Amino acid sequence: MKASVQALALLLAGSMALAACASDDKSGGSASSESSGGDLKIGLAYDTGGRGDRSFNDSAFAGVQAAIKDNGGKVSELTPNADASNRADLLTQLADQGYNPVIAVGFAYGDVIGDVVKQYPDTQFAIIDSSVAKIGADNLTGLLFAEEQGSFLAGVAAALKTTTNHVGFVGGVDQALIHKFEAGFKAGAEAAKPGITVDVQYLSPNGDFSGFNDPAKGQITAQGMFDSGADIVYHAAGGSGVGVFQAAAASNKRAIGVDSDQYNTVDDPALKAVIMTSMLKRVDNAVQTFIGNFADGKVEGGKDVVNDLSTEGVGLATSGGFIDDIQSQIDDYRQKIIDGDIKVPTS
């Protein structure tokens, strides 16, 4: 709203089975839950829609669960209200209650977290998808990803698999972070098949995070692309992505998921069958590593940690076997990006 990998994707799938239960509060309000054990108290403030999106938020939760398994402890989860106006309140509530570290899931917290962290200098914070370089707080870590690199590989896969030379991209919000997904996808598709048509549409304008939690709009938008000739659509739209899958199933076309290995996170076999691959954005790994470093006293605040292809922070899922026949070509492009032979655009 509001992006080696194969083995990790299977591990995430197991965690997703737990994470895929209903969101804390389907109306978008605040709620909390705890897992007992140990002294570690982790605060988790979700992006719009909360847990149950089978994508971005669920991946963060899976990382927390993995960290608790490693280190013991408990977690308190909070979800923004309907208009997401209480993000700062969620962070302060967790810090007031003694949760440490506190993790903000999503770039939308970037506008408020700088003021919050100053009020709690003894609490370590992390924010996903927002740089902390300009904030200058030594108790805040930025967990960033090279979404454009993983999306480039998704574009390659789409171009090599399309039979109409026409694919599409559905973005949740017309915002700089999601532009990275679009830019990488288009660059990859055009690299693998020059002249390919790439349709692009966003579900909501910048500042309106509803595009990350509107499956109906996602379905209508993707359906329009399929009706106009696209046969594969990639989404970077959070919970709205389910609608993209529904449109693909209704049109007997294909879709590409995002963040989690969505082939393993959807329940409906009809939707599973159309998910050709997913761009893996290993939020789970980043969160687990951050918490582990905190438990070991090794967190270096005031810095950004970038997860890219070279660290397996992004990649492509292979569940279902739909891209097995083009894996060698995908691997070639992956290595060229890692080696610096291909520089993927971010906008």
Side-chain angles (χ1 to χ4, degrees):
M1 214 240 17
K2 39 83 16 334
S4 61
V5 166
Q6 297 92 316
L8 290 171
L10 292 175
L11 290 175
L12 176 59
S15 295
M16 287 297 111
L18 175 61
C21 62
S23 176
D24 294 325
D25 187 332
K26 288 300 181 182
S27 66
S30 297
S32 64
S33 63
E34 296 186 350
S35 300
S36 61
D39 297 322
L40 194 62
K41 295 179 63 176
I42 304 161
L44 189 62
Y46 286 120
D47 206 349
T48 299
R51 180 151 61 93
D53 66 350
R54 303 174 188 245
S55 186
F56 187 63
N57 287 315
D58 281 359
S59 188
F61 177 75
V64 172
Q65 290 295 91
I68 289 174
K69 184 177 180 181
D70 292 340
N71 303 285
K74 63 182 180 179
V75 58
S76 180
E77 310 162 59
L78 297 179
T79 299
N81 55 15
D83 63 1
S85 61
N86 65 336
R87 293 182 187 275
D89 294 338
L90 301 186
L91 298 177
T92 56
Q93 179 179 336
L94 290 167
D96 279 340
Q97 293 176 350
Y99 286 91
N100 188 19
V102 173
I103 301 168
V105 183
F107 65 83
Y109 285 94
D111 293 336
V112 300
I113 199 167
D115 292 333
V116 175
V117 299
K118 293 176 184 178
Q119 301 173 39
Y120 301 93
D122 295 328
T123 301
Q124 285 291 336
F125 293 80
I127 182 169
I128 298 168
D129 286 343
S130 188
S131 174
V132 307
K134 295 181 180 180
I135 296 177
D138 60 9
N139 61 331
L140 177 62
T141 300
L143 304 179
L144 306 182
F145 298 83
E147 295 93 349
E148 73 280 1
Q149 293 184 359
S151 296
F152 184 100
L153 299 186
V156 168
L160 294 178
K161 282 293 189 177
T162 180
T163 59
T164 63
N165 295 329
H166 189 169
V167 298
F169 171 81
V170 174
V173 179
D174 193 354
Q175 194 269 350
L177 174 66
I178 310 304
H179 294 168
K180 292 173 67 180
F181 292 84
E182 175 198 341
F185 181 71
K186 290 175 67 176
E190 291 165 358
K193 187 167 288 186
I196 191 173
T197 298
V198 183
D199 292 338
V200 175
Q201 289 194 50
Y202 287 87
L203 302 182
S204 63
N206 190 19
D208 175 2
F209 299 115
S210 64
F212 284 134
N213 195 33
D214 193 342
K217 193 169 185 180
Q219 182 175 9
I220 293 170
T221 302
Q223 190 62 60
M225 292 182 176
F226 290 128
D227 289 345
S228 69
D231 59 351
I232 300 170
V233 173
Y234 170 45
H235 88 86
S240 301
V242 172
V244 174
F245 301 152
Q246 291 169 336
S251 304
N252 196 28
K253 305 298 184 183
R254 288 181 171 177
I256 297 176
V258 76
D259 295 335
S260 303
D261 184 352
Q262 296 200 280
Y263 179 89
N264 288 320
T265 66
V266 299
D267 294 328
D268 188 342
L271 302 188
K272 186 186 292 282
V274 304
I275 301 175
M276 185 180 82
T277 182
S278 295
M279 196 287 280
L280 296 175
K281 179 175 173 177
R282 299 314 304 265
V283 173
D284 59 323
N285 287 351
V287 167
Q288 181 182 2
T289 298
F290 170 75
I291 296 172
N293 286 339
F294 173 85
D296 293 338
K298 297 179 180 178
V299 169
E300 295 183 32
K303 298 181 178 180
D304 293 325
V305 179
V306 180
N307 302 270
D308 58 15
L309 283 177
S310 69
T311 66
E312 299 182 355
V314 295
L316 277 190
T318 60
S319 299
F322 301 117
I323 61 171
D324 287 354
D325 58 324
I326 59 171
Q327 191 61 55
S328 62
Q329 292 157 283
I330 292 172
D331 289 343
D332 286 343
Y333 279 106
R334 176 181 179 275
Q335 194 59 50
K336 288 178 180 177
I337 293 171
I338 293 174
D339 291 343
D341 296 332
I342 294 176
K343 183 171 178 57
V344 183
T346 58
S347 63

